[in-house]
Amino acid sequence: MNQLLLPNMKYAILDLDGTILDSMEAWKNVTRDYLASLGITADPDIREQVKRRTSRETAVYLQQKYGVRKPEDEIIDGIHNVIKQKYELSIPLKPAGAQILRHLKERKIPFCAATSTDRPMVEAALKRLNIYNDFSFILTCSEVGKGKYYPDIFYQSMELLGGQLENTVVFEDALHCVQTAKNAGFTVVGVYEEVDRQDWNQICALCDDIMI
């Protein structure tokens, strides 16, 4: 981490998935894993087929393409339970995430989590990894009412921390989140994520610092 950031960083806003938690591969494969739980082998392009679909559209697609004979709501719940179990049982701390947490705790910099994932899932992972109490608080996009294409979650997190734009640093791995935070006026540290490696050059160009 760039030492030049340290004098001005008094507060930090941390994304969780892909930044602190090594969970992006689990999300990438969730539909494939759900089908496997039903004894169905997914096509190699399953992620491309569903990644821009809503949960209900994905359920309909699985009914039509793979002959899943379950109601839409049951399919949605089934996919949700697959990823929920991964948060509860197996998703690990990302090496870069461990480095970020250690850096902030050593310097007694207050930090929070700002995440797109539902609270029960991330809380389960953070508690299992014994880092839940390190965070000042967790704020989710569903609680804010807007996703990270909008800056609301970053502004609300900053206000709750007691920070200001000039002393609050955002840590993110996803390009659209980096763009949102930068456009909102934050200093941003980009964290490398293999699943989204095609965006890394753009992230590097936008961020004030990067971590690999």
Side-chain angles (χ1 to χ4, degrees):
M1 195 177 298
N2 190 333
Q3 297 299 308
L4 294 178
L5 286 179
L6 294 179
N8 294 326
M9 183 167 60
K10 306 301 181 186
Y11 304 92
I13 300 170
L14 311 183
D15 171 57
L16 291 179
D17 294 296
T19 300
I20 301 300
L21 299 176
D22 197 0
S23 54
M24 297 310 295
E25 194 70 23
W27 280 105
K28 175 182 175 182
N29 293 320
V30 63
T31 310
R32 183 187 309 279
D33 291 344
Y34 171 68
L35 288 172
S37 74
L38 303 177
I40 300 171
T41 301
D43 291 341
D45 68 343
I46 184 67
R47 180 173 183 250
E48 292 302 312
Q49 292 298 326
V50 302
K51 70 179 185 180
R52 289 184 175 85
R53 299 176 194 261
T54 65
S55 296
R56 194 158 300 278
E57 288 170 343
T58 295
V60 172
Y61 175 76
L62 297 186
Q63 289 171 332
Q64 295 174 346
K65 171 70 175 176
Y66 291 95
V68 176
R69 298 190 177 190
K70 294 177 181 290
E72 292 171 19
D73 287 341
E74 190 173 333
I75 294 173
I76 293 168
D77 288 343
I79 294 172
H80 180 268
N81 287 335
V82 167
I83 196 70
K84 180 173 177 284
Q85 284 191 345
K86 292 181 183 294
Y87 278 89
E88 292 172 348
L89 301 174
S90 63
I91 284 174
L93 185 63
K94 198 168 181 176
Q99 183 181 345
I100 291 166
L101 294 178
R102 183 170 61 252
H103 178 93
L104 296 174
K105 288 192 289 184
E106 286 174 352
R107 290 159 179 80
K108 294 181 169 52
I109 295 172
F111 56 90
C112 70
T115 178
S116 300
T117 303
D118 291 341
R119 176 179 292 274
M121 291 198 289
V122 294
E123 283 190 350
L126 297 181
K127 288 176 181 177
R128 174 174 50 79
L129 294 166
N130 294 317
I131 57 174
Y132 175 76
N133 291 327
D134 294 334
F135 291 82
S136 296
F137 59 87
I138 296 169
L139 192 61
T140 72
C141 288
S142 61
E143 292 163 351
V144 172
K146 289 185 178 179
K148 288 186 178 179
Y149 285 98
Y150 301 90
D152 301 57
I153 192 168
F154 299 121
Y155 286 141
Q156 287 190 33
S157 295
M158 177 184 69
E159 290 169 7
L160 289 169
L161 283 170
Q164 298 176 322
L165 281 173
E166 59 267 25
N167 62 17
T168 305
V169 177
V170 173
F171 291 75
E172 276 283 0
D173 70 297
L175 177 59
H176 74 280
C177 302
V178 167
Q179 291 169 330
T180 300
K182 283 299 296 181
N183 289 337
F186 287 93
T187 298
V188 181
V189 177
V191 181
Y192 179 77
E193 171 49 55
E194 179 64 20
V195 168
D196 296 316
R197 59 187 177 277
Q198 73 278 358
D199 296 330
W200 184 238
N201 287 340
Q202 285 179 268
I203 289 171
C204 290
L206 286 169
C207 287
D208 301 278
D209 195 9
I210 57 171
M211 295 187 67
I212 298 176

